[in-house]
Amino acid sequence: MTISNPAQSVPLSPLKNLTMDGRWLASLIMILGVGSASMNSFLSSAIMPDIIRDLGGQQRAFWVLSLFQIGSILAGTVTGSLKANIGARPLFIAAALSFLAGSFVAGAANSLEHLLLGRMLQGLGEGMIVSLCYTLISDLYPKTAVSSVFALLSGVWAVSAGIGPLTAGMLTDSWSWRAVFYANLPLALLLLILAITVIPATTREKTETSAGTGKKNIIPRLSLLAVAVLLIAYVGELRDLRHISLALVVGVALLFMAVSWDKKSSAPFIPRSAFRFNGIIGLGMWVTLLLSISSAARVVYGTAMGQVLWGLTVTQASYAMAITAFSWTAAAWIVARVQTPHVQTYLIRVGTLSIIAGSLLTMWALSAMSLWIFLVSSIFAGAGFGMSSQFLKKAIIYAEQDDERDRASGFIGPLQSAGMAIGAALAGLLAGLTGFSIPGAEDLITLENAASSGPLVFLIMALISSLAAIAAFKMPKMT
């Protein structure tokens, strides 16, 4: 399958694409919607020690992050289907209200149970908001502006990575960890106002795939998906390598069972062509999933590597890691004006090769114990995502029409989150087997084994990226 893209004689700058013809309000929705999710992911991790000191329940700290993740993936998965049936506006309003209620409950929590309820509501709201942002791109922007939208969103992630830890520290020091949750209240109210005034209320025309009897098994399908995500996420709490292996294998198996079951339903949540080994959507989703898996090791161990191997402070290590986000944004803005379809296809492929190079350079950095090589590897990894991500998502969004398009674009966020969860679990298993990280040890990674064991972990991640590159080269060219 190919997708067409009408030629444009004079490519507009990314900024004009985002603001002309009244699009600045749509761009504001994108910034606030994706920005709130990215900022909260950095903030919640940073304040976790203060929450545990105040509310207790260290043995259940895992759930504070995992319930948010599970809620986000479940809500994001069903968003495309729901948007096709009831429209984006009521969904966005419901999501903003869930985010608002969750932030208030979490900020006012006087027990860990109340905090967990707030985090679940936050996750449901945030997951749906992010997926709606992706599904709304084709509704609110012309196709020639889509690359600029994704460049904007990558910049939002970079800013969140840069100011997230600092913001968390300032709010906690000046008041308490509760301020981090209360700071979401005006943001949620603004999203609610924008949802009412800017987002279209129209729905897709009902098709056979959206009006079938498959709605009867919605709860069982979502329950199976929830169990799968929970098992994969729980790997981070396990200490025995046999238990880690079992949870990871069973969780991934259940995840693919849930996907297979959903695709056979007459009312699926994800596009029917997802994960096929042909076509833009099938191969594009494999590329997205595999790249998310391969990038997780850097996310999980990058900051610890900076502290343990090179003696950086927490802040220094966090900003060393932020280089990936900054190079991602820079590359995304540089290529955002590219409108030629075959060049966009070429950039997807080159981007995957750059990500492979980033993993191989990380191997070299660990072998040589070189901070500078590690920083260069971060640049390659970020630039690879910056070159490829926006055009990959654009291809997936425009490969289908109507409700299938809503499902495809709405599933991008959950797919990336699931890939990160699988990748983090796999990285933990590999690190434990090689001695790069010892479960239960005081430090996340071991200095003694870093040079001998760490390179193998990142070699396997490079191999996973190579599978993504093969899928990218097999993807049909955009015409």
Side-chain angles (χ1 to χ4, degrees):
M1 181 184 298
T2 58
I3 54 180
S4 60
N5 190 5
Q8 183 173 332
S9 56
V10 181
L12 297 173
S13 70
L15 186 60
K16 284 187 177 180
N17 265 327
L18 294 169
T19 57
M20 69 180 300
D21 298 330
R23 295 176 206 154
W24 68 272
L25 280 176
S27 299
L28 181 60
I29 291 176
M30 298 295 161
I31 292 172
L32 296 179
V34 175
S36 63
S38 58
M39 185 66 77
N40 273 285
S41 67
F42 290 108
L43 293 178
S44 56
S45 298
I47 63 175
M48 183 60 63
D50 295 275
I51 292 175
I52 297 304
R53 278 193 293 268
D54 193 2
L55 299 181
Q58 182 174 1
Q59 70 279 8
R60 291 177 292 169
F62 156 79
W63 294 100
V64 177
L65 300 177
S66 295
L67 280 180
F68 180 91
Q69 183 183 47
I70 292 169
S72 178
I73 291 176
L74 292 179
T77 299
V78 302
T79 295
S81 235
L82 291 176
K83 175 178 178 280
N85 284 277
I86 65 176
R89 184 185 294 171
L91 272 185
F92 211 109
I93 291 172
L97 288 173
S98 180
F99 177 46
L100 178 68
S103 299
F104 179 79
V105 170
N110 54 16
S111 68
L112 194 62
E113 288 75 15
H114 290 160
L115 180 69
L116 294 178
L117 173 61
R119 290 294 286 165
M120 186 67 180
L121 290 172
Q122 272 193 316
L124 291 170
E126 289 279 31
M128 188 165 286
I129 286 171
V130 172
S131 287
L132 278 170
C133 285
Y134 283 129
T135 65
L136 284 167
I137 288 174
S138 60
D139 295 337
L140 300 177
Y141 297 89
K143 191 183 296 187
T144 51
V146 171
S147 298
S148 300
V149 177
F150 284 117
L152 172 70
L153 299 185
S154 68
V156 170
W157 276 98
V159 170
S160 299
I163 69 174
L166 179 62
T167 302
M170 291 176 60
L171 289 173
T172 302
D173 291 340
S174 61
W175 184 11
S176 78
W177 57 266
R178 299 178 187 276
V180 172
F181 294 112
Y182 285 140
N184 288 316
L185 300 182
L187 174 61
L189 287 172
L190 182 54
L191 282 171
L192 189 59
I193 294 171
L194 289 172
I196 295 171
T197 57
V198 178
I199 294 178
T202 56
T203 61
R204 305 285 191 194
E205 291 185 5
K206 299 296 185 295
T207 65
E208 291 183 5
T209 59
S210 64
T213 59
K215 295 177 182 179
K216 294 180 181 179
N217 57 28
I218 287 177
I219 300 301
R221 278 184 282 153
L222 287 179
S223 299
L224 182 60
L225 179 61
V227 172
V229 174
L230 176 61
L231 272 175
I232 295 170
Y234 195 60
V235 168
E237 290 296 293
L238 299 175
R239 295 295 177 262
D240 186 273
L241 292 178
R242 292 171 299 177
H243 295 160
I244 291 174
S245 303
L246 180 63
L248 177 59
V249 171
V250 174
V252 172
L254 291 178
L255 185 62
F256 279 95
M257 283 177 60
V259 170
S260 177
W261 185 8
D262 181 75
K263 289 170 66 175
K264 294 176 182 177
S265 170
S266 58
F269 298 129
I270 64 176
R272 298 188 185 279
S273 54
F275 301 114
R276 290 178 182 170
F277 293 101
N278 55 44
I280 288 178
I281 287 186
L283 290 169
M285 288 193 171
W286 275 116
V287 175
T288 303
L289 178 67
L290 291 169
L291 289 182
S292 297
I293 292 173
S294 69
S295 65
R298 181 183 297 274
V299 174
V300 173
Y301 296 111
T303 303
M305 286 163 57
Q307 294 176 259
V308 175
L309 305 185
W310 298 298
L312 303 180
T313 66
V314 175
T315 303
Q316 290 172 336
S318 297
Y319 282 108
M321 279 296 295
I323 289 176
T324 302
F326 293 136
S327 61
W328 181 331
T329 301
W333 278 98
I334 289 171
V335 303
R337 296 183 67 170
V338 173
Q339 296 294 335
T340 309
H342 76 270
V343 177
Q344 295 179 351
T345 303
Y346 173 78
L347 286 169
I348 292 174
R349 296 170 178 175
V350 172
T352 59
L353 297 178
S354 181
I355 294 167
I356 295 171
S359 295
L360 295 176
L361 284 169
T362 306
M363 289 175 51
W364 184 16
L366 289 170
S367 299
M369 286 293 178
S370 170
L371 174 60
W372 290 107
I373 297 176
F374 176 72
L375 297 179
V376 172
S377 76
S378 298
I379 294 173
F380 269 84
F385 279 104
M387 281 187 284
S388 63
S389 179
Q390 57 192 303
F391 300 123
L392 179 61
K393 292 171 183 174
K394 180 179 179 180
I396 291 172
I397 288 174
Y398 285 96
E400 293 287 357
Q401 298 292 327
D402 300 328
D403 52 345
E404 279 291 284
R405 174 180 291 179
D406 285 333
R407 293 189 186 105
S409 35
F411 192 56
I412 291 174
L415 182 64
Q416 291 175 315
S417 297
M420 287 296 297
I422 295 171
L426 178 61
L429 175 61
L430 293 173
L433 291 173
T434 61
F436 184 55
S437 176
I438 299 177
E442 182 178 352
D443 291 319
L444 186 59
I445 64 173
T446 57
L447 177 61
E448 297 80 8
N449 296 332
S452 59
S453 304
L456 179 58
V457 175
F458 284 91
L459 173 61
I460 293 175
M461 294 302 163
L463 293 175
I464 294 173
S465 299
S466 298
L467 294 177
I470 293 172
F473 276 86
K474 286 189 65 178
M475 279 182 63
K477 293 182 178 179
M478 294 179 282
T479 60

